[in-house]
Amino acid sequence: MNFLAILLCVALHTEYLVNPDGIETAHPRLQWRVESAEHGQRQTAYRILVASTDATLARDEGDLWDTGKVMSDATSQIAYAGKPLASGQQCFWKVQTWGKDGAASKWSEPAKWSMGLLKPEDWKAQWISFKDETPLPSAHGKLHLPPARYYRKDFEAPREVKRATLYFSALGIAELQLNGRKVGDAYFESGWADYAKRAYYRTHDVTALVKPGGNRLAATVADGWYAGYVGYGLLVGRGPDKTGRNIYGKTPALLAQLEIEYADGSHETVGTDATWETSGDGPIREADLLMGESYDARKADESAWKWTPAIRAEENGSVKAKFFEVGSSHEVDLGFQKPAKLVAYTAPPIRVVEEIAAKKITEPKPGAYIFNLGENIAGVIRLKVKGAAGTVVQIRYGEMLHKDGRLMTENLRKARATDFYTLRGAANGETWQPRFTYHGFQFVEVTGLAEKPALDAVTGLVLSNDTPAAGEFACSDSVMTQFWKNTVRTQRANFIELPTDCPQRDERLGWMGDAQIYVRTASYNADVSAFFTKWLDDLEEAQRESGAYPDYAPYPFAHGEPGATHGTAWTDAGVIVPYTIWKVYADTRVLERHWASMTKFMEWRRKADPELKGVSIGNTWGDWLNVNEATPIEYVDLCYHRLSAMLMSAMADALGKRDEAAKYRDTADALAKSFRSQFVKPDGSLTVDTQTAYVLALEGRFFAEPDETRAAAARLAEKIARNDTRMATGFLGTKPLLLTLTGNGQTDLALRLFQSRRFPSWGYEVEQGATSVWERWDSFTKEHGFDGMTGKNNAAMNSFSHYSFGAVMQWGFQTLAGIDTDGPGYKHIIIRPNPPSVGTTAAAGEAKPIDWVKAHYDSIHGRIASAWRANGADFELTTTIPANTTATIFIPAKDAASVTEGGKALGDVAGVKLLRYENDRTVFEVESGTYRFASKR
Ligand code: BGC
């Protein structure tokens, strides 16, 4: 038998995660990948076994579910349909597949998942807190930064432990410890939600941490998003007494439940209740996400703390306060409210995903040591110091330095972003890392040490929801390869609990405009399936009663115009993001889950604009950060309304909702008609004469005739040329700009913009020293520092870690490298690289047009690779198409006869079928495998 023909089943996932604990859905979706070294190999059938024990599975028995041999090529989104699953149940599974010739594969390696606590009554533990007698903080005076609270409970495990599982939730952020060891490696558990409505809980397998005999379960609880400073609340005076903190409640609370299963079959539950003890005397003296953490190592010995009984959280009683919104206030009760629902956390946890060694130390003023990590990250540091007991080390963070070498902190606004560490005086030195805060930084200023520290005194710990890397991009222009790396860094820095706008200043909100612009790029850089699946729940929770999606999710308080909660293009993220997740992962469940919510949104959108003319709704950020070329909000609104309608129609089709698909198509058509009557002049030009206006019109396919489309694309190109070949577009226009240019025959211009080093451009930013994506093209210039090109930039509104303009990497992967899909989920792949035209040379002072690209993308079906090289009229492409998929490949060529594969004329190559020749490209259909095409252009 030819071993190459055998399919391998690998990378088993449950609900997008590897061996997850605490799954809540009754029908978890299973996923694997098939691999084969043989061209054209595909899966024709599968059999899944799900068993209640690993031993049962090892005997090839699926006592929970045995699908039998299912004739299907599906490898993902397969919903478990076996025996009903109970709370806490463990499920072990594996899969076997059959290839195209009917040969069976080996069984995959086993995988597993466990169920969470599925019913409210499964929670036996009680929410606990400490007796909080402090007054509710007021806005007057200094920051209010209470110490973290410690909780503990001793218990006996009298018999041999077979399995122990810890479930917990927090109003605040909690870290649990069992016998002195931290449970799991996640940060900021259990997560941010609108706590009265819903709180996340976490599940950890702690079998290895429970020992026979005496045990101690302990927790450290900090304010987090629940009670700490959130966003720009303090800056603009939101929340109770305009403090910007205690947005959801006054006193953090904890709910923890340890389920122990003994070898003899008996069970025991250890849950939080009033028999727990609590103390506020521990070493963590301050713990705030925005402000920082203070740790007094002299207080580490808990036997010296005063411990008092914990109380049931509700015993702290009600706490009435006046909550300030934009131009109004209302009464709230910040006393404990039991979350209406506890829901399992479905995203990959926030962890340390990389450690960065400091590259350099400077001492701009005596005793202030600045460590340079060499790249802009978000996270915390590990501090390694030696000194006398009681020495206080102050640690400040910044993304940039001033000319004189001082830390630049103006752009942190009200985020204090300062940690303190008080030494206990250990003879061999001591190490520490904060646990309840994070910062956006490249530079770390350490003061208070008696002696100059060594370079390894500071290590950067990069925090991010641990979304596995999915793509890699490199090209002949090293500046643009660097830019791609900057997007990855910036994505990690901002995928912390939610897709944030920026990680450094007092903001860090789930701004929806930014998220919708960037989500597709995000999907090329990393597997963001579970991350966005979770955030879409946050988003639905934040949907306004009117049906509008708000400006950011979660939605702690409003911003912008009085009464406004939403704005064009930001609000549409509620449709664009689910569409993208479906498109990339073939995920129809996410569409079903949010369909009612999206429908409500569309009804609201329709009501807001009954005449379909485009309206100004709420906040009018529009083409935010455009370069002196604003596009009227009504125009942008009409374009986005149509985009949402078109996506709704596609999603309705995917769900088999034919009537709704037709209804949204009609809306989209009516909007196009309205657009043409309002904005298109007889000569085909637009009454709104901005680059963004043309881009959005082309992207939205508003023109009735191909000629009109071509003319509009030519006008856009002309406008850019007249603008000295520079962009004038903001967030909304820049995202589709290059996609639109290439899609309309303007690839050379797209490439020129992509590779430009002149303001405003990505290359400009890199040449000014960017290691991350900046909020503004000129957030820093060598010439004018932080004042921007005009000398007028506001240094406080100037983030150096803002992914929105990084959305161009969608074009980088999809269009330049040419890796795309035409249906959902990369089952049928499009490989359509876009090299510069033959004979294109660099314009004076500009970069040499990219002549090679090497990229890959790990799709849900496996790795898709595209590497091309253009040398004059010679073009080469090496591409890999994963098993169980097919691809249409577009090779730039002067005719079909000039294309070879692996050095052979095409007729001789198995698995490659010539389809047609069109638009200077030879088009082939291929099966899986690696192909080396060469052509003459
Ligand atoms: C954020 C943006 C966001 C915007 C709304 C800013 O403060 O950082 O990225 O989309 O507000 O205009």
Side-chain angles (χ1 to χ4, degrees):
M1 189 164 76
N2 178 3
F3 79 98
L4 286 177
I6 294 174
L7 282 177
L8 271 183
C9 316
V10 298
L12 274 59
H13 286 62
T14 307
E15 286 295 316
Y16 293 130
L17 300 171
V18 177
N19 299 336
D21 280 314
I23 292 290
E24 204 164 55
T25 165
H27 306 285
R29 290 162 301 171
L30 308 182
Q31 167 191 327
W32 62 90
R33 229 170 46 218
V34 288
E35 284 182 353
S36 171
E38 192 195 18
H39 271 204
Q41 193 47 271
R42 63 198 151 80
Q43 175 186 304
T44 54
Y46 67 77
R47 181 177 174 203
I48 298 170
L49 294 182
V50 183
S52 54
T53 68
D54 46 359
T56 314
L57 188 72
R59 291 194 305 270
D60 295 347
E61 286 169 29
D63 59 336
L64 295 175
W65 196 34
D66 180 346
T67 61
K69 186 172 175 182
V70 180
M71 300 309 292
S72 165
D73 62 355
T75 57
S76 65
Q77 311 296 352
I78 297 166
Y80 170 83
K83 291 202 181 121
L85 300 173
S87 290
Q89 184 163 0
Q90 280 181 305
C91 304
F92 301 84
W93 72 284
K94 61 185 178 182
V95 61
Q96 176 180 38
T97 61
W98 283 262
K100 65 172 176 185
D101 306 317
S105 75
K106 288 199 307 203
W107 283 106
S108 69
E109 291 295 312
K112 61 180 179 176
W113 82 86
S114 73
M115 299 301 285
L117 295 183
L118 306 177
K119 299 189 295 285
E121 57 275 23
D122 293 331
W123 288 95
K124 306 278 187 295
Q126 296 164 357
W127 283 97
I128 60 167
S129 225
F130 60 98
K131 182 88 199 124
D132 186 358
E133 282 163 328
T134 57
L136 186 68
S138 90
H140 316 292
K142 55 182 185 27
L143 294 176
H144 181 73
L145 297 168
R149 293 301 300 204
Y150 296 79
Y151 295 86
R152 68 181 188 190
K153 168 82 185 174
D154 291 337
F155 66 94
E156 290 286 315
R159 293 177 291 283
E160 192 197 329
V161 176
K162 188 173 148 216
R163 185 183 166 213
T165 313
L166 179 64
Y167 303 90
F168 72 90
S169 179
L171 303 182
I173 305 175
E175 269 204 11
L176 276 84
Q177 298 100 28
L178 248 165
N179 298 319
R181 283 182 49 199
K182 177 174 157 48
V183 171
D185 59 0
Y187 277 68
F188 311 148
E189 292 181 303
S190 61
W192 185 3
D194 195 341
Y195 298 95
K197 293 188 198 157
R198 202 173 58 115
Y200 284 109
Y201 73 88
R202 307 292 186 115
T203 304
H204 289 274
D205 183 334
V206 290
T207 311
L209 297 181
V210 180
K211 56 179 202 291
N215 287 270
R216 174 168 288 175
L217 178 57
T220 313
V221 181
D223 286 350
W225 296 279
Y226 176 77
Y229 290 93
V230 170
Y232 37 59
L234 177 61
L235 181 76
V236 299
R238 300 281 181 278
D241 197 24
K242 307 189 178 179
T243 53
R245 52 167 293 130
N246 297 105
I247 301 301
Y248 299 95
K250 177 169 179 247
T251 313
L254 172 72
L255 177 76
Q257 184 165 319
L258 174 64
E259 296 287 352
I260 305 173
E261 229 179 287
Y262 292 106
D264 63 7
S266 59
H267 280 254
E268 184 165 340
T269 302
V270 179
T272 41
D273 60 23
T275 67
W276 282 52
E277 292 181 300
T278 179
S279 176
D281 292 343
I284 300 181
R285 306 312 304 158
E286 297 178 338
D288 187 87
L289 283 165
L290 288 169
M291 303 306 170
E293 189 163 319
S294 298
Y295 190 92
D296 187 343
R298 296 169 305 177
K299 293 182 184 289
D301 176 10
E302 65 176 80
S303 63
W305 313 346
K306 181 170 171 247
W307 291 88
T308 54
I311 60 166
R312 295 183 63 163
E314 56 267 36
E315 284 172 32
N316 270 322
S318 104
V319 182
K320 295 270 192 271
K322 200 179 210 189
F323 193 104
F324 286 82
E325 278 285 359
V326 188
S328 68
S329 64
H330 57 275
E331 288 291 317
V332 289
D333 190 338
L334 299 173
F336 171 78
Q337 284 183 64
K338 193 173 164 186
K341 270 197 293 198
L342 287 173
V343 296
Y345 192 82
T346 51
I350 299 168
R351 309 192 156 103
V352 174
V353 294
E354 196 183 346
E355 298 200 355
I356 313 274
K359 306 291 179 293
K360 197 174 147 188
I361 308 186
T362 50
E363 193 181 354
K365 72 179 190 230
Y369 303 101
I370 295 191
F371 293 75
N372 182 350
L373 298 183
E375 58 187 89
N376 195 19
I377 65 164
V380 290
I381 60 157
R382 187 186 310 112
L383 182 71
K384 207 172 107 188
V385 284
K386 202 160 126 182
T391 306
V392 179
V393 178
Q394 174 188 280
I395 310 144
R396 296 198 307 147
Y397 300 83
E399 296 184 288
M400 298 290 282
L401 297 182
H402 282 290
K403 271 209 182 90
D404 58 6
R406 278 177 307 122
L407 208 58
M408 201 284 266
T409 56
E410 287 83 339
N411 70 340
L412 304 181
R413 297 195 311 216
K414 293 279 186 195
R416 187 190 69 176
T418 305
D419 301 330
F420 295 93
Y421 179 76
T422 305
L423 275 70
R424 66 173 198 276
N428 297 325
E430 42 207 288
T431 54
W432 170 70
Q433 64 184 73
R435 312 222 64 114
F436 298 103
T437 191
Y438 77 94
H439 315 290
F441 63 101
Q442 171 170 346
F443 298 94
V444 182
E445 182 202 74
V446 176
T447 49
L449 288 171
E451 278 167 44
K452 182 173 175 170
L455 195 55
D456 70 353
V458 166
T459 305
L461 306 180
V462 179
L463 287 178
S464 190
N465 282 87
D466 197 0
T467 53
E472 234 175 278
F473 173 92
C475 67
S476 58
D477 184 346
S478 60
V479 166
M480 296 321 290
T481 303
Q482 171 67 42
F483 182 78
W484 167 71
K485 290 184 183 156
N486 293 358
T487 66
V488 174
R489 205 172 277 134
T490 307
Q491 179 168 328
R492 290 200 310 199
N494 280 290
F495 282 14
I496 295 185
E497 182 62 15
L498 60 152
T500 63
D501 55 335
C502 53
Q504 71 302 91
R505 69 177 173 230
D506 54 350
E507 192 143 354
R508 312 180 186 187
L509 295 173
W511 278 101
M512 311 245 300
D514 309 49
Q516 63 90 349
I517 288 167
Y518 188 73
V519 57
R520 186 68 191 266
T521 298
S523 78
Y524 277 108
N525 282 340
D527 175 357
V528 294
S529 50
F531 177 75
F532 274 105
T533 299
K534 178 248 171 208
W535 183 68
L536 285 172
D537 286 347
D538 300 336
L539 176 51
E540 179 165 331
E541 180 175 78
Q543 185 173 22
R544 305 288 87 199
E545 228 166 275
S546 63
Y549 290 112
D551 293 319
Y552 34 83
Y555 194 63
F557 38 65
H559 185 52
E561 299 298 315
T565 57
H566 50 268
T568 293
W570 273 251
T571 194
D572 297 285
V575 168
I576 299 168
V577 175
Y579 169 85
T580 307
I581 296 305
W582 163 70
K583 178 89 182 176
V584 173
Y585 304 106
D587 186 339
T588 45
R589 187 179 283 182
V590 84
L591 305 187
E592 277 155 12
R593 190 170 170 89
H594 300 291
W595 189 255
S597 152
M598 291 192 282
T599 304
K600 187 172 171 196
F601 165 73
M602 291 304 286
E603 282 162 7
W604 164 80
R605 231 189 176 306
R606 179 82 201 218
K607 246 184 268 157
D609 186 7
E611 293 174 52
L612 300 177
K613 287 174 83 166
V615 284
S616 173
I617 41 170
N619 289 313
T620 54
W621 292 302
D623 194 23
W624 182 241
L625 300 187
N626 64 75
V627 185
N628 304 322
E629 206 183 77
T631 305
I633 192 69
E634 293 79 4
Y635 181 101
V636 176
D637 186 64
L638 198 161
C639 295
Y640 262 90
H641 192 174
R642 174 161 152 99
L643 178 63
S644 282
M646 292 197 299
L647 302 185
M648 284 299 283
S649 162
M651 291 187 278
D653 272 332
L655 294 178
K657 298 177 187 294
R658 304 278 164 242
D659 292 351
E660 285 167 88
K663 181 182 89 187
Y664 289 118
R665 250 190 317 274
D666 288 349
T667 307
D669 288 349
L671 284 159
K673 219 168 132 199
S674 158
F675 177 92
R676 288 195 296 271
S677 73
Q678 288 187 79
F679 303 119
V680 183
K681 293 197 261 189
D683 69 351
S685 63
L686 296 173
T687 55
V688 179
D689 192 31
T690 64
Q691 291 182 13
T692 289
Y694 279 94
V695 177
L696 295 184
L698 286 161
E699 187 204 21
R701 289 181 269 124
F702 278 106
F703 302 100
E705 302 297 327
D707 279 358
E708 276 181 11
T709 304
R710 257 191 302 279
R715 270 201 190 86
L716 171 61
E718 196 186 299
K719 281 189 66 61
I720 295 169
R722 276 207 309 270
N723 194 37
D724 192 22
T725 319
R726 294 174 202 249
M727 296 184 282
T729 45
F731 273 21
L732 304 185
T734 305
K735 192 254 167 178
L737 177 64
L738 303 198
L739 294 165
T740 300
L741 287 172
T742 307
N744 289 287
Q746 300 282 353
T747 294
D748 291 332
L749 177 57
L751 259 172
R752 256 187 94 180
L753 293 175
F754 185 62
Q755 293 184 261
S756 171
R757 310 292 200 253
R758 296 176 308 135
F759 172 87
S761 71
W762 300 276
Y764 176 78
E765 201 175 284
V766 174
E767 292 204 332
Q768 303 307 306
T771 63
S772 47
V773 183
W774 295 349
E775 182 170 21
R776 297 160 190 278
W777 305 109
D778 57 346
S779 284
F780 173 83
T781 69
K782 288 177 182 162
E783 208 181 341
H784 304 287
F786 303 108
D787 299 332
M789 292 299 290
T790 55
K792 286 190 197 140
N793 273 8
N794 171 6
M797 184 66 183
N798 200 348
S799 146
F800 290 87
S801 187
H802 229 81
Y803 48 60
S804 294
F805 282 132
V808 71
M809 286 315 301
Q810 176 183 347
W811 177 84
F813 279 98
Q814 188 171 302
T815 307
L816 184 59
I819 299 173
D820 199 1
T821 177
D822 58 359
Y826 293 88
K827 177 75 176 144
H828 182 252
I829 293 158
I830 301 293
I831 299 289
R832 193 188 165 100
N834 279 284
S837 311
V838 179
T840 311
T841 51
E846 291 193 2
K848 180 168 174 258
I850 287 170
D851 57 12
W852 64 260
V853 171
K854 189 170 187 299
H856 70 247
Y857 167 59
D858 291 329
S859 74
I860 203 159
H861 290 289
R863 178 158 298 184
I864 307 167
S866 166
W868 60 257
R869 186 177 287 279
N871 182 4
D874 292 322
F875 181 79
E876 285 167 21
L877 169 76
T878 303
T879 181
T880 300
I881 306 302
N884 204 33
T885 67
T886 54
T888 306
I889 303 194
F890 296 76
I891 306 285
K894 65 176 181 344
D895 52 33
S898 72
V899 185
T900 58
E901 196 286 318
K904 290 188 229 150
L906 280 165
D908 306 337
V909 185
V912 177
K913 195 172 124 203
L914 175 66
L915 293 183
R916 59 188 181 270
Y917 183 80
E918 68 177 22
N919 302 330
D920 303 326
R921 284 160 195 272
T922 308
V923 187
F924 302 98
E925 190 66 17
V926 305
E927 299 177 323
S928 68
T930 294
Y931 301 91
R932 287 173 192 81
F933 290 100
S935 71
K936 288 257 179 256
R937 297 197 286 161

